[in-house]
Amino acid sequence: QKEVEQNSGPLSVPEGAIASLNCTYSDRVSQSFFWYRQYSGKSPELIMSIYSNGDKEDGRFTAQLNKASQYVSLLIRDSQPSDSATYLCAVNNYNQGGKLIFGQGTELSVKP
Amino acid sequence: DTGVSQDPRHKITKRGQNVTFRCDPISEHNRLYWYRQTLGQGPEFLTYFQNEAQLEKSRLLSDRFSAERPKGSFSTLEIQRTEQGDSAMYLCASSLLGRHYEQYFGPGTRLTVT
């Protein structure tokens, strides 16, 4: 079992729709959870972080965390073609030095 | 711009040559991380520093790889006797020291070994 799992996609949504990206992790003591956006040929860009169960909203983005189910998700409302990218879920266990464990990423395509 | 910077952005080398990459973190960040990313995969952790101390190295980091952060500021990653399998994007990230502090990535160095 991979430590962090994501559907690789591609996930295709029409412009204006809600895109839902999911991630599961295996280490129950993970403490910090991050979503990075990566455009083709570029480096990862941090867009959301979440540490407590529940929802965290920032503009069009909402991150959801359920530690009991070991599940993290990212919702993108009013999706735009500029949101087309690969979204990487990353998990951190501070007691193991703070290194990030990444999923393989989900490719999102927003069609105009 | 006070973000993470990396140099060079691209490097093409022949198999067997040595290469060195540099990373300058965000100035107040204590921690510096190196990751490697191949096509279609998420970044994989290689090593990290807290100030000048190298605190962890992944088993991915063979003897041919060495990293330093001599004065707790910039870091270098050297690959000796490069192999075609070393072709990847090498990413540097930095963060403050703390439980939840986020890591910010530099633009990466893309290495191609021919």
Side-chain angles (χ1 to χ4, degrees):
Chain A
Q1 182 190 8
K2 291 183 181 178
E3 292 184 75
V4 179
E5 294 204 55
Q6 298 180 251
N7 292 327
S8 59
L11 172 65
S12 183
V13 300
E15 183 174 356
I18 296 175
S20 177
L21 304 159
N22 304 316
C23 172
T24 58
Y25 61 94
S26 60
D27 185 353
R28 285 193 168 275
V29 298
S30 298
Q31 298 156 333
S32 308
F33 307 86
F34 305 93
W35 284 99
Y36 286 84
R37 178 175 62 197
Q38 187 171 31
Y39 292 113
S40 181
K42 303 295 186 182
S43 64
E45 173 193 8
L46 180 65
I47 55 172
M48 288 290 286
S49 58
I50 186 166
Y51 313 122
S52 304
N53 281 329
D55 294 0
K56 179 182 177 182
E57 186 174 320
D58 184 0
R60 295 186 297 112
F61 299 103
T62 299
Q64 299 173 318
L65 174 61
N66 183 326
K67 289 187 178 181
S69 301
Q70 295 174 242
Y71 177 87
V72 192
S73 65
L74 179 71
L75 300 178
I76 307 175
R77 289 181 300 282
D78 188 25
S79 295
Q80 301 297 309
S82 59
D83 295 325
S84 298
T86 295
Y87 289 81
L88 296 161
C89 172
V91 172
N92 170 312
N93 179 347
Y94 181 75
N95 295 323
Q96 294 183 1
K99 65 188 177 191
L100 293 175
I101 308 298
F102 284 86
Q104 70 181 68
T106 297
E107 183 184 350
L108 173 66
S109 176
V110 181
K111 304 294 187 185
Chain B
D1 183 15
T2 56
V4 179
S5 62
Q6 292 186 247
D7 184 70
R9 298 288 301 276
H10 303 274
K11 179 71 176 179
I12 300 173
T13 192
K14 293 186 177 180
R15 189 178 55 178
Q17 298 296 304
N18 298 345
V19 293
T20 300
F21 309 141
R22 175 177 170 132
C23 171
D24 286 86
I26 294 171
S27 58
E28 64 268 28
H29 283 186
N30 319 86
R31 285 197 168 177
L32 186 150
Y33 302 80
W34 286 98
Y35 294 85
R36 181 173 67 188
Q37 186 178 26
T38 54
L39 198 63
Q41 302 298 315
E44 294 177 297
F45 169 77
L46 293 178
T47 188
Y48 88 97
F49 294 84
Q50 182 170 306
N51 300 315
E52 66 273 13
Q54 187 174 20
L55 297 187
E56 186 177 349
K57 292 193 294 186
S58 165
R59 61 182 180 277
L60 294 175
L61 216 62
S62 75
D63 310 4
R64 299 184 296 104
F65 288 71
S66 62
E68 293 183 338
R69 193 182 183 197
K71 297 183 179 178
S73 55
F74 72 91
S75 175
T76 58
L77 178 69
E78 181 183 17
I79 309 174
Q80 295 182 327
R81 305 181 305 281
T82 52
E83 301 173 355
Q84 286 189 322
D86 297 331
S87 295
M89 173 82 90
Y90 290 83
L91 295 162
C92 176
S94 70
S95 78
L96 290 168
L97 174 64
R99 180 175 292 272
H100 293 308
Y101 287 118
E102 297 118 345
Q103 294 182 28
Y104 296 90
F105 282 84
T109 295
R110 181 166 297 284
L111 173 66
T112 303
V113 182
T114 62

